[in-house]
Amino acid sequence: MSLYYEDEYVQLHLGDALRTPEWLSADVLVSDVPYGIDYNSGSRRDTLAASIAGDKDTTARDGVIAQWRETHGADAPALIFGTWRIQRPEDTRALLVWDTKGALGMGDLSIPWKPAHQEVYVLGRGFHGRRSSDVLACAPVQSMSANGRVHPHQKPVALMEALIEKCPLGVIADPFAGSGSTLIAARNLGRKAIGVELEEKYCELIVRRLSQQAFDFSTLEGGVA
């Protein structure tokens, strides 16, 4: 059995997303997938991993999108994180920009600009809500603070809430649950969610964050078109 944790709102499975089909019963896919950037942090931190599994290429990303569309159809709603450095998913309908307020590493030191954003791709249909900017400004989770980042790609709960608020009704799926921000955000909004995480240490972390009723009060400016 892959079921690792379950409560009134959240169901978490331990396993490989491509071989753990329980998440496919959800209604909306919202995930920061491994998308092939092969990120490897050079920071010297004993408590934070330098990289994540499956980030060498887009196999994991493309695999879950294919499974999602095979299960729910070509118009199945999904929000997928990515980068301009990697080819966007097929049939991307819109690009959202997460403005990290200037905090996103040093980037290419040979040019006079540093990276300060990430991309989110809108796939499928059914999104709703107040029409607003496609740029979302939200400070990232700090890596060195006392209550700082515990996963190399941890997303602010406030950012995930802003995305989920404009998703179609139903259960949220995150087959790459990581630190659990998507699951926490869904729960905070009264939405049920199904997550899958490959590494047990992150499943333990997610359960701990859920049990602590982790809320994120980061300031968010803007919204999602």
Side-chain angles (χ1 to χ4, degrees):
M1 291 291 293
S2 66
L3 184 62
Y4 189 88
Y5 170 87
E6 188 172 24
D7 64 25
E8 181 182 0
Y9 288 100
V10 175
Q11 188 180 100
L12 176 64
H13 295 267
L14 171 62
D16 182 341
L18 296 175
R19 297 177 176 83
T20 308
E22 285 81 359
W23 65 275
L24 290 166
S25 65
D27 303 288
V28 188
L29 173 60
V30 181
S31 190
D32 181 16
V33 302
Y35 43 74
I37 198 172
D38 197 16
Y39 172 83
N40 197 313
S41 174
S43 299
R44 296 180 179 178
R45 292 189 293 269
D46 295 333
T47 59
L48 187 62
S51 60
I52 60 171
D55 198 31
K56 296 292 185 182
D57 53 41
T58 62
T59 298
R61 183 199 73 177
D62 297 341
V64 297
I65 292 175
Q67 288 187 357
W68 183 246
R69 287 171 168 167
E70 287 169 6
T71 302
H72 295 280
D75 288 336
L79 297 175
I80 300 293
F81 280 78
T83 173
W84 62 271
R85 297 182 181 89
I86 305 298
Q87 184 174 1
R88 294 168 181 163
E90 185 178 356
D91 296 326
T92 293
R93 292 190 61 218
L95 166 67
L96 310 180
V97 174
W98 171 28
D99 173 4
T100 64
K101 298 187 174 181
L104 200 64
M106 297 304 296
D108 185 348
L109 297 178
S110 70
I111 58 177
W113 299 277
K114 60 171 293 189
H117 79 279
Q118 289 188 18
E119 297 184 350
V120 184
Y121 306 123
V122 180
L123 311 179
R125 300 183 182 278
F127 299 95
H128 58 85
R130 181 178 63 87
R131 188 168 175 82
S132 53
S133 172
D134 58 4
V135 177
L136 297 89
C138 183
V141 181
Q142 297 301 313
S143 61
M144 303 300 287
S145 64
N147 297 310
R149 199 160 72 234
V150 291
H151 186 280
H153 299 291
Q154 184 173 344
K155 297 298 182 287
V157 173
L159 172 68
M160 303 314 299
E161 288 178 351
L163 293 172
I164 292 171
E165 280 178 338
K166 296 197 175 184
C167 286
L169 298 178
V171 179
I172 302 295
D174 185 356
F176 299 97
S179 68
S181 294
T182 300
L183 306 181
I184 293 168
R187 182 207 60 188
N188 289 354
L189 295 171
R191 303 276 294 259
K192 292 188 175 182
I194 302 174
V196 180
E197 172 51 44
L198 179 64
E199 299 192 46
E200 187 168 7
K201 66 179 181 180
Y202 291 129
C203 285
E204 294 174 355
L205 170 64
I206 292 169
V207 173
R208 185 162 64 250
R209 293 185 73 199
L210 288 166
S211 67
Q212 293 170 344
Q213 296 291 303
F215 289 85
D216 189 315
F217 296 101
S218 301
T219 300
L220 180 70
E221 301 169 0
V224 188

